[in-house]
PDB file of all heavy atoms in Angstrom:
ATOM      1  N   HIS A   1       0.804  -1.221   0.000  1.00 84.00           N
ATOM      2  CA  HIS A   1       0.000   0.000   0.000  1.00 84.00           C
ATOM      3  C   HIS A   1       0.844   1.281   0.000  1.00 84.00           C
ATOM      4  O   HIS A   1       0.291   2.375   0.038  1.00 84.00           O
ATOM      5  CB  HIS A   1      -0.911   0.011   1.232  1.00 84.00           C
ATOM      6  CG  HIS A   1      -0.152   0.093   2.521  1.00 84.00           C
ATOM      7  ND1 HIS A   1       0.511  -0.987   3.045  1.00 84.00           N
ATOM      8  CD2 HIS A   1       0.056   1.123   3.357  1.00 84.00           C
ATOM      9  CE1 HIS A   1       1.105  -0.610   4.169  1.00 84.00           C
ATOM     10  NE2 HIS A   1       0.846   0.667   4.383  1.00 84.00           N
ATOM     11  N   TRP A   2       2.158   1.174  -0.028  1.00 84.00           N
ATOM     12  CA  TRP A   2       3.015   2.359   0.041  1.00 84.00           C
ATOM     13  C   TRP A   2       2.750   3.347  -1.084  1.00 84.00           C
ATOM     14  O   TRP A   2       2.967   4.550  -0.922  1.00 84.00           O
ATOM     15  CB  TRP A   2       4.477   1.961   0.032  1.00 84.00           C
ATOM     16  CG  TRP A   2       5.004   1.584   1.379  1.00 84.00           C
ATOM     17  CD1 TRP A   2       4.285   1.360   2.519  1.00 84.00           C
ATOM     18  CD2 TRP A   2       6.362   1.379   1.723  1.00 84.00           C
ATOM     19  NE1 TRP A   2       5.122   1.018   3.547  1.00 84.00           N
ATOM     20  CE2 TRP A   2       6.396   1.020   3.086  1.00 84.00           C
ATOM     21  CE3 TRP A   2       7.552   1.442   1.013  1.00 84.00           C
ATOM     22  CZ2 TRP A   2       7.584   0.745   3.746  1.00 84.00           C
ATOM     23  CZ3 TRP A   2       8.729   1.160   1.677  1.00 84.00           C
ATOM     24  CH2 TRP A   2       8.739   0.831   3.035  1.00 84.00           C
ATOM     25  N   SER A   3       2.308   2.850  -2.232  1.00 83.00           N
ATOM     26  CA  SER A   3       2.085   3.784  -3.342  1.00 83.00           C
ATOM     27  C   SER A   3       0.980   4.779  -3.008  1.00 83.00           C
ATOM     28  O   SER A   3       0.947   5.867  -3.583  1.00 83.00           O
ATOM     29  CB  SER A   3       1.744   3.026  -4.621  1.00 83.00           C
ATOM     30  OG  SER A   3       0.488   2.396  -4.518  1.00 83.00           O
ATOM     31  N   ASP A   4       0.107   4.436  -2.061  1.00 85.00           N
ATOM     32  CA  ASP A   4      -0.910   5.392  -1.618  1.00 85.00           C
ATOM     33  C   ASP A   4      -0.288   6.549  -0.852  1.00 85.00           C
ATOM     34  O   ASP A   4      -0.842   7.638  -0.801  1.00 85.00           O
ATOM     35  CB  ASP A   4      -1.943   4.709  -0.715  1.00 85.00           C
ATOM     36  CG  ASP A   4      -2.767   3.676  -1.457  1.00 85.00           C
ATOM     37  OD1 ASP A   4      -2.909   3.800  -2.692  1.00 85.00           O
ATOM     38  OD2 ASP A   4      -3.265   2.748  -0.800  1.00 85.00           O
ATOM     39  N   HIS A   5       0.878   6.320  -0.260  1.00 85.00           N
ATOM     40  CA  HIS A   5       1.531   7.336   0.570  1.00 85.00           C
ATOM     41  C   HIS A   5       2.645   8.081  -0.166  1.00 85.00           C
ATOM     42  O   HIS A   5       2.789   9.285   0.013  1.00 85.00           O
ATOM     43  CB  HIS A   5       2.098   6.695   1.838  1.00 85.00           C
ATOM     44  CG  HIS A   5       1.066   5.985   2.646  1.00 85.00           C
ATOM     45  ND1 HIS A   5       0.089   6.642   3.365  1.00 85.00           N
ATOM     46  CD2 HIS A   5       0.825   4.662   2.815  1.00 85.00           C
ATOM     47  CE1 HIS A   5      -0.694   5.762   3.964  1.00 85.00           C
ATOM     48  NE2 HIS A   5      -0.269   4.555   3.636  1.00 85.00           N
ATOM     49  N   ILE A   6       3.425   7.359  -0.960  1.00 86.00           N
ATOM     50  CA  ILE A   6       4.562   8.014  -1.628  1.00 86.00           C
ATOM     51  C   ILE A   6       4.280   8.326  -3.091  1.00 86.00           C
ATOM     52  O   ILE A   6       5.089   8.988  -3.736  1.00 86.00           O
ATOM     53  CB  ILE A   6       5.860   7.184  -1.505  1.00 86.00           C
ATOM     54  CG1 ILE A   6       5.751   5.865  -2.259  1.00 86.00           C
ATOM     55  CG2 ILE A   6       6.237   6.970  -0.059  1.00 86.00           C
ATOM     56  CD1 ILE A   6       7.058   5.100  -2.350  1.00 86.00           C
ATOM     57  N   GLY A   7       3.181   7.845  -3.627  1.00 84.00           N
ATOM     58  CA  GLY A   7       2.834   8.100  -5.021  1.00 84.00           C
ATOM     59  C   GLY A   7       3.151   6.908  -5.902  1.00 84.00           C
ATOM     60  O   GLY A   7       4.053   6.125  -5.604  1.00 84.00           O
ATOM     61  N   ARG A   8       2.387   6.769  -6.964  1.00 83.00           N
ATOM     62  CA  ARG A   8       2.549   5.611  -7.860  1.00 83.00           C
ATOM     63  C   ARG A   8       3.901   5.621  -8.562  1.00 83.00           C
ATOM     64  O   ARG A   8       4.588   4.613  -8.630  1.00 83.00           O
ATOM     65  CB  ARG A   8       1.441   5.585  -8.921  1.00 83.00           C
ATOM     66  CG  ARG A   8       0.051   5.707  -8.397  1.00 83.00           C
ATOM     67  CD  ARG A   8      -0.465   4.444  -7.735  1.00 83.00           C
ATOM     68  NE  ARG A   8      -1.853   4.657  -7.333  1.00 83.00           N
ATOM     69  CZ  ARG A   8      -2.234   4.876  -6.080  1.00 83.00           C
ATOM     70  NH1 ARG A   8      -1.352   4.917  -5.119  1.00 83.00           N
ATOM     71  NH2 ARG A   8      -3.501   5.057  -5.795  1.00 83.00           N
ATOM     72  N   ARG A   9       4.281   6.788  -9.087  1.00 82.00           N
ATOM     73  CA  ARG A   9       5.561   6.864  -9.806  1.00 82.00           C
ATOM     74  C   ARG A   9       6.734   6.582  -8.887  1.00 82.00           C
ATOM     75  O   ARG A   9       7.662   5.851  -9.247  1.00 82.00           O
ATOM     76  CB  ARG A   9       5.728   8.237 -10.460  1.00 82.00           C
ATOM     77  CG  ARG A   9       4.834   8.417 -11.673  1.00 82.00           C
ATOM     78  CD  ARG A   9       5.041   9.762 -12.281  1.00 82.00           C
ATOM     79  NE  ARG A   9       4.319  10.740 -11.470  1.00 82.00           N
ATOM     80  CZ  ARG A   9       4.211  12.009 -11.741  1.00 82.00           C
ATOM     81  NH1 ARG A   9       4.823  12.509 -12.792  1.00 82.00           N
ATOM     82  NH2 ARG A   9       3.521  12.810 -10.964  1.00 82.00           N
ATOM     83  N   ALA A  10       6.703   7.143  -7.694  1.00 87.00           N
ATOM     84  CA  ALA A  10       7.799   6.907  -6.751  1.00 87.00           C
ATOM     85  C   ALA A  10       7.869   5.434  -6.371  1.00 87.00           C
ATOM     86  O   ALA A  10       8.963   4.855  -6.276  1.00 87.00           O
ATOM     87  CB  ALA A  10       7.612   7.764  -5.504  1.00 87.00           C
ATOM     88  N   ALA A  11       6.719   4.799  -6.168  1.00 89.00           N
ATOM     89  CA  ALA A  11       6.708   3.376  -5.820  1.00 89.00           C
ATOM     90  C   ALA A  11       7.276   2.541  -6.963  1.00 89.00           C
ATOM     91  O   ALA A  11       8.024   1.583  -6.728  1.00 89.00           O
ATOM     92  CB  ALA A  11       5.295   2.924  -5.470  1.00 89.00           C
ATOM     93  N   LEU A  12       6.946   2.913  -8.196  1.00 88.00           N
ATOM     94  CA  LEU A  12       7.483   2.167  -9.340  1.00 88.00           C
ATOM     95  C   LEU A  12       8.992   2.374  -9.489  1.00 88.00           C
ATOM     96  O   LEU A  12       9.716   1.435  -9.817  1.00 88.00           O
ATOM     97  CB  LEU A  12       6.753   2.554 -10.620  1.00 88.00           C
ATOM     98  CG  LEU A  12       5.318   2.046 -10.728  1.00 88.00           C
ATOM     99  CD1 LEU A  12       4.650   2.595 -11.985  1.00 88.00           C
ATOM    100  CD2 LEU A  12       5.255   0.538 -10.709  1.00 88.00           C
ATOM    101  N   VAL A  13       9.461   3.589  -9.225  1.00 89.00           N
ATOM    102  CA  VAL A  13      10.910   3.840  -9.286  1.00 89.00           C
ATOM    103  C   VAL A  13      11.633   3.020  -8.222  1.00 89.00           C
ATOM    104  O   VAL A  13      12.645   2.370  -8.500  1.00 89.00           O
ATOM    105  CB  VAL A  13      11.212   5.349  -9.128  1.00 89.00           C
ATOM    106  CG1 VAL A  13      12.690   5.589  -8.898  1.00 89.00           C
ATOM    107  CG2 VAL A  13      10.731   6.116 -10.349  1.00 89.00           C
ATOM    108  N   VAL A  14      11.110   3.027  -7.001  1.00 92.00           N
ATOM    109  CA  VAL A  14      11.715   2.235  -5.920  1.00 92.00           C
ATOM    110  C   VAL A  14      11.665   0.753  -6.279  1.00 92.00           C
ATOM    111  O   VAL A  14      12.640   0.016  -6.066  1.00 92.00           O
ATOM    112  CB  VAL A  14      11.020   2.511  -4.570  1.00 92.00           C
ATOM    113  CG1 VAL A  14      11.505   1.553  -3.491  1.00 92.00           C
ATOM    114  CG2 VAL A  14      11.259   3.951  -4.141  1.00 92.00           C
ATOM    115  N   ALA A  15      10.559   0.291  -6.851  1.00 92.00           N
ATOM    116  CA  ALA A  15      10.421  -1.109  -7.240  1.00 92.00           C
ATOM    117  C   ALA A  15      11.481  -1.511  -8.256  1.00 92.00           C
ATOM    118  O   ALA A  15      12.107  -2.570  -8.137  1.00 92.00           O
ATOM    119  CB  ALA A  15       9.025  -1.369  -7.796  1.00 92.00           C
ATOM    120  N   VAL A  16      11.707  -0.658  -9.242  1.00 92.00           N
ATOM    121  CA  VAL A  16      12.717  -0.957 -10.262  1.00 92.00           C
ATOM    122  C   VAL A  16      14.105  -0.987  -9.636  1.00 92.00           C
ATOM    123  O   VAL A  16      14.909  -1.885  -9.919  1.00 92.00           O
ATOM    124  CB  VAL A  16      12.641   0.066 -11.422  1.00 92.00           C
ATOM    125  CG1 VAL A  16      13.846  -0.042 -12.334  1.00 92.00           C
ATOM    126  CG2 VAL A  16      11.353  -0.129 -12.208  1.00 92.00           C
ATOM    127  N   LEU A  17      14.417  -0.028  -8.771  1.00 95.00           N
ATOM    128  CA  LEU A  17      15.742   0.015  -8.137  1.00 95.00           C
ATOM    129  C   LEU A  17      15.975  -1.208  -7.249  1.00 95.00           C
ATOM    130  O   LEU A  17      17.060  -1.805  -7.274  1.00 95.00           O
ATOM    131  CB  LEU A  17      15.912   1.305  -7.344  1.00 95.00           C
ATOM    132  CG  LEU A  17      15.943   2.589  -8.167  1.00 95.00           C
ATOM    133  CD1 LEU A  17      15.991   3.813  -7.247  1.00 95.00           C
ATOM    134  CD2 LEU A  17      17.124   2.584  -9.115  1.00 95.00           C
ATOM    135  N   VAL A  18      14.971  -1.587  -6.467  1.00 95.00           N
ATOM    136  CA  VAL A  18      15.106  -2.759  -5.594  1.00 95.00           C
ATOM    137  C   VAL A  18      15.260  -4.023  -6.433  1.00 95.00           C
ATOM    138  O   VAL A  18      16.090  -4.892  -6.129  1.00 95.00           O
ATOM    139  CB  VAL A  18      13.900  -2.860  -4.629  1.00 95.00           C
ATOM    140  CG1 VAL A  18      13.875  -4.188  -3.900  1.00 95.00           C
ATOM    141  CG2 VAL A  18      13.929  -1.711  -3.633  1.00 95.00           C
ATOM    142  N   SER A  19      14.491  -4.137  -7.506  1.00 94.00           N
ATOM    143  CA  SER A  19      14.598  -5.311  -8.377  1.00 94.00           C
ATOM    144  C   SER A  19      15.958  -5.374  -9.065  1.00 94.00           C
ATOM    145  O   SER A  19      16.532  -6.456  -9.206  1.00 94.00           O
ATOM    146  CB  SER A  19      13.488  -5.305  -9.418  1.00 94.00           C
ATOM    147  OG  SER A  19      12.256  -5.545  -8.814  1.00 94.00           O
ATOM    148  N   LEU A  20      16.467  -4.223  -9.500  1.00 94.00           N
ATOM    149  CA  LEU A  20      17.802  -4.203 -10.103  1.00 94.00           C
ATOM    150  C   LEU A  20      18.869  -4.637  -9.103  1.00 94.00           C
ATOM    151  O   LEU A  20      19.778  -5.401  -9.440  1.00 94.00           O
ATOM    152  CB  LEU A  20      18.127  -2.811 -10.641  1.00 94.00           C
ATOM    153  CG  LEU A  20      17.548  -2.449 -11.991  1.00 94.00           C
ATOM    154  CD1 LEU A  20      17.818  -0.986 -12.322  1.00 94.00           C
ATOM    155  CD2 LEU A  20      18.106  -3.347 -13.068  1.00 94.00           C
ATOM    156  N   ALA A  21      18.759  -4.144  -7.879  1.00 96.00           N
ATOM    157  CA  ALA A  21      19.710  -4.562  -6.847  1.00 96.00           C
ATOM    158  C   ALA A  21      19.621  -6.073  -6.625  1.00 96.00           C
ATOM    159  O   ALA A  21      20.652  -6.758  -6.523  1.00 96.00           O
ATOM    160  CB  ALA A  21      19.428  -3.820  -5.541  1.00 96.00           C
ATOM    161  N   GLY A  22      18.407  -6.600  -6.587  1.00 95.00           N
ATOM    162  CA  GLY A  22      18.225  -8.037  -6.431  1.00 95.00           C
ATOM    163  C   GLY A  22      18.817  -8.828  -7.587  1.00 95.00           C
ATOM    164  O   GLY A  22      19.427  -9.879  -7.389  1.00 95.00           O
ATOM    165  N   THR A  23      18.661  -8.309  -8.794  1.00 92.00           N
ATOM    166  CA  THR A  23      19.216  -8.985  -9.963  1.00 92.00           C
ATOM    167  C   THR A  23      20.737  -9.008  -9.909  1.00 92.00           C
ATOM    168  O   THR A  23      21.363 -10.031 -10.218  1.00 92.00           O
ATOM    169  CB  THR A  23      18.732  -8.295 -11.249  1.00 92.00           C
ATOM    170  OG1 THR A  23      17.304  -8.370 -11.282  1.00 92.00           O
ATOM    171  CG2 THR A  23      19.311  -8.944 -12.484  1.00 92.00           C
ATOM    172  N   PHE A  24      21.352  -7.898  -9.497  1.00 95.00           N
ATOM    173  CA  PHE A  24      22.811  -7.863  -9.386  1.00 95.00           C
ATOM    174  C   PHE A  24      23.312  -8.800  -8.284  1.00 95.00           C
ATOM    175  O   PHE A  24      24.312  -9.492  -8.471  1.00 95.00           O
ATOM    176  CB  PHE A  24      23.312  -6.430  -9.154  1.00 95.00           C
ATOM    177  CG  PHE A  24      23.224  -5.575 -10.384  1.00 95.00           C
ATOM    178  CD1 PHE A  24      22.529  -4.377 -10.350  1.00 95.00           C
ATOM    179  CD2 PHE A  24      23.818  -5.951 -11.571  1.00 95.00           C
ATOM    180  CE1 PHE A  24      22.427  -3.579 -11.481  1.00 95.00           C
ATOM    181  CE2 PHE A  24      23.728  -5.164 -12.713  1.00 95.00           C
ATOM    182  CZ  PHE A  24      23.031  -3.969 -12.672  1.00 95.00           C
ATOM    183  N   VAL A  25      22.626  -8.825  -7.154  1.00 96.00           N
ATOM    184  CA  VAL A  25      23.031  -9.728  -6.072  1.00 96.00           C
ATOM    185  C   VAL A  25      22.871 -11.179  -6.521  1.00 96.00           C
ATOM    186  O   VAL A  25      23.752 -12.011  -6.311  1.00 96.00           O
ATOM    187  CB  VAL A  25      22.227  -9.458  -4.779  1.00 96.00           C
ATOM    188  CG1 VAL A  25      22.468 -10.523  -3.733  1.00 96.00           C
ATOM    189  CG2 VAL A  25      22.566  -8.088  -4.224  1.00 96.00           C
ATOM    190  N   PHE A  26      21.750 -11.491  -7.144  1.00 93.00           N
ATOM    191  CA  PHE A  26      21.506 -12.848  -7.617  1.00 93.00           C
ATOM    192  C   PHE A  26      22.526 -13.255  -8.679  1.00 93.00           C
ATOM    193  O   PHE A  26      23.057 -14.354  -8.653  1.00 93.00           O
ATOM    194  CB  PHE A  26      20.089 -12.956  -8.187  1.00 93.00           C
ATOM    195  CG  PHE A  26      19.749 -14.321  -8.702  1.00 93.00           C
ATOM    196  CD1 PHE A  26      19.341 -15.314  -7.831  1.00 93.00           C
ATOM    197  CD2 PHE A  26      19.824 -14.610 -10.055  1.00 93.00           C
ATOM    198  CE1 PHE A  26      19.023 -16.581  -8.302  1.00 93.00           C
ATOM    199  CE2 PHE A  26      19.510 -15.863 -10.532  1.00 93.00           C
ATOM    200  CZ  PHE A  26      19.107 -16.856  -9.657  1.00 93.00           C
ATOM    201  N   GLY A  27      22.801 -12.343  -9.607  1.00 90.00           N
ATOM    202  CA  GLY A  27      23.738 -12.649 -10.688  1.00 90.00           C
ATOM    203  C   GLY A  27      25.166 -12.853 -10.230  1.00 90.00           C
ATOM    204  O   GLY A  27      25.925 -13.577 -10.873  1.00 90.00           O
ATOM    205  N   SER A  28      25.541 -12.252  -9.115  1.00 93.00           N
ATOM    206  CA  SER A  28      26.917 -12.396  -8.625  1.00 93.00           C
ATOM    207  C   SER A  28      27.001 -13.297  -7.391  1.00 93.00           C
ATOM    208  O   SER A  28      28.037 -13.326  -6.732  1.00 93.00           O
ATOM    209  CB  SER A  28      27.492 -11.014  -8.294  1.00 93.00           C
ATOM    210  OG  SER A  28      26.742 -10.419  -7.244  1.00 93.00           O
ATOM    211  N   ALA A  29      25.939 -14.021  -7.118  1.00 92.00           N
ATOM    212  CA  ALA A  29      25.889 -14.841  -5.903  1.00 92.00           C
ATOM    213  C   ALA A  29      26.914 -15.970  -5.947  1.00 92.00           C
ATOM    214  O   ALA A  29      27.117 -16.611  -6.974  1.00 92.00           O
ATOM    215  CB  ALA A  29      24.493 -15.426  -5.733  1.00 92.00           C
ATOM    216  N   SER A  30      27.538 -16.173  -4.801  1.00 93.00           N
ATOM    217  CA  SER A  30      28.492 -17.280  -4.664  1.00 93.00           C
ATOM    218  C   SER A  30      28.128 -18.189  -3.494  1.00 93.00           C
ATOM    219  O   SER A  30      28.909 -19.057  -3.133  1.00 93.00           O
ATOM    220  CB  SER A  30      29.910 -16.728  -4.497  1.00 93.00           C
ATOM    221  OG  SER A  30      29.977 -15.921  -3.337  1.00 93.00           O
ATOM    222  N   SER A  31      26.970 -17.963  -2.915  1.00 94.00           N
ATOM    223  CA  SER A  31      26.509 -18.810  -1.814  1.00 94.00           C
ATOM    224  C   SER A  31      24.982 -18.837  -1.804  1.00 94.00           C
ATOM    225  O   SER A  31      24.327 -18.022  -2.462  1.00 94.00           O
ATOM    226  CB  SER A  31      27.024 -18.280  -0.469  1.00 94.00           C
ATOM    227  OG  SER A  31      26.390 -17.054  -0.154  1.00 94.00           O
ATOM    228  N   LEU A  32      24.442 -19.755  -1.035  1.00 94.00           N
ATOM    229  CA  LEU A  32      22.994 -19.863  -0.910  1.00 94.00           C
ATOM    230  C   LEU A  32      22.401 -18.598  -0.302  1.00 94.00           C
ATOM    231  O   LEU A  32      21.345 -18.124  -0.742  1.00 94.00           O
ATOM    232  CB  LEU A  32      22.631 -21.092  -0.065  1.00 94.00           C
ATOM    233  CG  LEU A  32      21.146 -21.299   0.220  1.00 94.00           C
ATOM    234  CD1 LEU A  32      20.363 -21.467  -1.074  1.00 94.00           C
ATOM    235  CD2 LEU A  32      20.945 -22.482   1.139  1.00 94.00           C
ATOM    236  N   LEU A  33      23.079 -18.030   0.687  1.00 96.00           N
ATOM    237  CA  LEU A  33      22.578 -16.808   1.317  1.00 96.00           C
ATOM    238  C   LEU A  33      22.455 -15.675   0.306  1.00 96.00           C
ATOM    239  O   LEU A  33      21.453 -14.965   0.274  1.00 96.00           O
ATOM    240  CB  LEU A  33      23.478 -16.398   2.483  1.00 96.00           C
ATOM    241  CG  LEU A  33      23.086 -15.102   3.193  1.00 96.00           C
ATOM    242  CD1 LEU A  33      21.714 -15.266   3.844  1.00 96.00           C
ATOM    243  CD2 LEU A  33      24.124 -14.717   4.213  1.00 96.00           C
ATOM    244  N   GLU A  34      23.456 -15.501  -0.536  1.00 95.00           N
ATOM    245  CA  GLU A  34      23.414 -14.449  -1.544  1.00 95.00           C
ATOM    246  C   GLU A  34      22.307 -14.704  -2.571  1.00 95.00           C
ATOM    247  O   GLU A  34      21.646 -13.769  -3.017  1.00 95.00           O
ATOM    248  CB  GLU A  34      24.762 -14.315  -2.237  1.00 95.00           C
ATOM    249  CG  GLU A  34      25.842 -13.754  -1.328  1.00 95.00           C
ATOM    250  CD  GLU A  34      27.219 -13.775  -1.954  1.00 95.00           C
ATOM    251  OE1 GLU A  34      27.370 -14.263  -3.108  1.00 95.00           O
ATOM    252  OE2 GLU A  34      28.161 -13.327  -1.297  1.00 95.00           O
ATOM    253  N   LEU A  35      22.093 -15.967  -2.931  1.00 94.00           N
ATOM    254  CA  LEU A  35      20.983 -16.294  -3.831  1.00 94.00           C
ATOM    255  C   LEU A  35      19.652 -15.895  -3.201  1.00 94.00           C
ATOM    256  O   LEU A  35      18.799 -15.294  -3.852  1.00 94.00           O
ATOM    257  CB  LEU A  35      20.954 -17.795  -4.140  1.00 94.00           C
ATOM    258  CG  LEU A  35      21.940 -18.335  -5.151  1.00 94.00           C
ATOM    259  CD1 LEU A  35      21.788 -19.854  -5.268  1.00 94.00           C
ATOM    260  CD2 LEU A  35      21.747 -17.696  -6.495  1.00 94.00           C
ATOM    261  N   CYS A  36      19.497 -16.231  -1.932  1.00 95.00           N
ATOM    262  CA  CYS A  36      18.245 -15.922  -1.231  1.00 95.00           C
ATOM    263  C   CYS A  36      18.044 -14.418  -1.077  1.00 95.00           C
ATOM    264  O   CYS A  36      16.921 -13.924  -1.245  1.00 95.00           O
ATOM    265  CB  CYS A  36      18.214 -16.602   0.140  1.00 95.00           C
ATOM    266  SG  CYS A  36      18.080 -18.388   0.029  1.00 95.00           S
ATOM    267  N   VAL A  37      19.098 -13.683  -0.791  1.00 97.00           N
ATOM    268  CA  VAL A  37      18.990 -12.228  -0.663  1.00 97.00           C
ATOM    269  C   VAL A  37      18.617 -11.608  -2.008  1.00 97.00           C
ATOM    270  O   VAL A  37      17.731 -10.755  -2.092  1.00 97.00           O
ATOM    271  CB  VAL A  37      20.299 -11.613  -0.112  1.00 97.00           C
ATOM    272  CG1 VAL A  37      20.305 -10.105  -0.241  1.00 97.00           C
ATOM    273  CG2 VAL A  37      20.503 -12.020   1.333  1.00 97.00           C
ATOM    274  N   GLY A  38      19.261 -12.058  -3.077  1.00 95.00           N
ATOM    275  CA  GLY A  38      18.948 -11.553  -4.408  1.00 95.00           C
ATOM    276  C   GLY A  38      17.506 -11.829  -4.803  1.00 95.00           C
ATOM    277  O   GLY A  38      16.799 -10.945  -5.279  1.00 95.00           O
ATOM    278  N   ARG A  39      17.066 -13.051  -4.594  1.00 94.00           N
ATOM    279  CA  ARG A  39      15.686 -13.401  -4.922  1.00 94.00           C
ATOM    280  C   ARG A  39      14.709 -12.658  -4.003  1.00 94.00           C
ATOM    281  O   ARG A  39      13.631 -12.264  -4.434  1.00 94.00           O
ATOM    282  CB  ARG A  39      15.474 -14.908  -4.813  1.00 94.00           C
ATOM    283  CG  ARG A  39      16.214 -15.693  -5.866  1.00 94.00           C
ATOM    284  CD  ARG A  39      15.787 -15.356  -7.269  1.00 94.00           C
ATOM    285  NE  ARG A  39      14.502 -15.994  -7.537  1.00 94.00           N
ATOM    286  CZ  ARG A  39      13.687 -15.661  -8.495  1.00 94.00           C
ATOM    287  NH1 ARG A  39      13.979 -14.680  -9.317  1.00 94.00           N
ATOM    288  NH2 ARG A  39      12.540 -16.268  -8.668  1.00 94.00           N
ATOM    289  N   GLY A  40      15.083 -12.458  -2.744  1.00 96.00           N
ATOM    290  CA  GLY A  40      14.229 -11.716  -1.827  1.00 96.00           C
ATOM    291  C   GLY A  40      14.059 -10.269  -2.256  1.00 96.00           C
ATOM    292  O   GLY A  40      12.956  -9.714  -2.196  1.00 96.00           O
ATOM    293  N   LEU A  41      15.132  -9.656  -2.721  1.00 96.00           N
ATOM    294  CA  LEU A  41      15.039  -8.276  -3.221  1.00 96.00           C
ATOM    295  C   LEU A  41      14.182  -8.205  -4.478  1.00 96.00           C
ATOM    296  O   LEU A  41      13.396  -7.265  -4.651  1.00 96.00           O
ATOM    297  CB  LEU A  41      16.437  -7.716  -3.496  1.00 96.00           C
ATOM    298  CG  LEU A  41      17.267  -7.356  -2.262  1.00 96.00           C
ATOM    299  CD1 LEU A  41      18.703  -7.030  -2.662  1.00 96.00           C
ATOM    300  CD2 LEU A  41      16.641  -6.195  -1.525  1.00 96.00           C
ATOM    301  N   GLN A  42      14.309  -9.200  -5.342  1.00 94.00           N
ATOM    302  CA  GLN A  42      13.460  -9.229  -6.524  1.00 94.00           C
ATOM    303  C   GLN A  42      11.991  -9.355  -6.127  1.00 94.00           C
ATOM    304  O   GLN A  42      11.125  -8.698  -6.700  1.00 94.00           O
ATOM    305  CB  GLN A  42      13.854 -10.374  -7.453  1.00 94.00           C
ATOM    306  CG  GLN A  42      15.149 -10.128  -8.182  1.00 94.00           C
ATOM    307  CD  GLN A  42      15.570 -11.312  -9.031  1.00 94.00           C
ATOM    308  OE1 GLN A  42      15.288 -12.460  -8.708  1.00 94.00           O
ATOM    309  NE2 GLN A  42      16.250 -11.026 -10.128  1.00 94.00           N
ATOM    310  N   GLY A  43      11.713 -10.196  -5.140  1.00 94.00           N
ATOM    311  CA  GLY A  43      10.342 -10.343  -4.654  1.00 94.00           C
ATOM    312  C   GLY A  43       9.809  -9.045  -4.066  1.00 94.00           C
ATOM    313  O   GLY A  43       8.649  -8.675  -4.281  1.00 94.00           O
ATOM    314  N   ALA A  44      10.658  -8.330  -3.329  1.00 95.00           N
ATOM    315  CA  ALA A  44      10.244  -7.045  -2.754  1.00 95.00           C
ATOM    316  C   ALA A  44       9.934  -6.028  -3.851  1.00 95.00           C
ATOM    317  O   ALA A  44       8.953  -5.286  -3.764  1.00 95.00           O
ATOM    318  CB  ALA A  44      11.338  -6.513  -1.827  1.00 95.00           C
ATOM    319  N   GLY A  45      10.763  -5.989  -4.884  1.00 93.00           N
ATOM    320  CA  GLY A  45      10.522  -5.072  -5.993  1.00 93.00           C
ATOM    321  C   GLY A  45       9.227  -5.378  -6.727  1.00 93.00           C
ATOM    322  O   GLY A  45       8.452  -4.480  -7.048  1.00 93.00           O
TER     323      GLY A  45
END
């Protein structure tokens, strides 16, 4: 529901940034923890 408070465009920008961070973490993962963090960030985005 954050887009109701920060605005739709801002929520989409944050979503893209969080997903990009997740993709970079996932793509450079060298352990199970890093895979999970990357996928978790993608899920959050």
Side-chain angles (χ1 to χ4, degrees):
H1 65 284
W2 276 11
S3 68
D4 294 335
H5 303 288
I6 66 171
R8 309 285 183 256
R9 287 180 282 184
L12 288 175
V13 168
V14 172
V16 168
L17 294 175
V18 169
S19 290
L20 279 173
T23 300
F24 287 124
V25 171
F26 180 82
S28 63
S30 60
S31 69
L32 177 60
L33 178 64
E34 291 173 358
L35 282 177
C36 291
V37 168
R39 292 299 284 162
L41 286 171
Q42 287 176 329

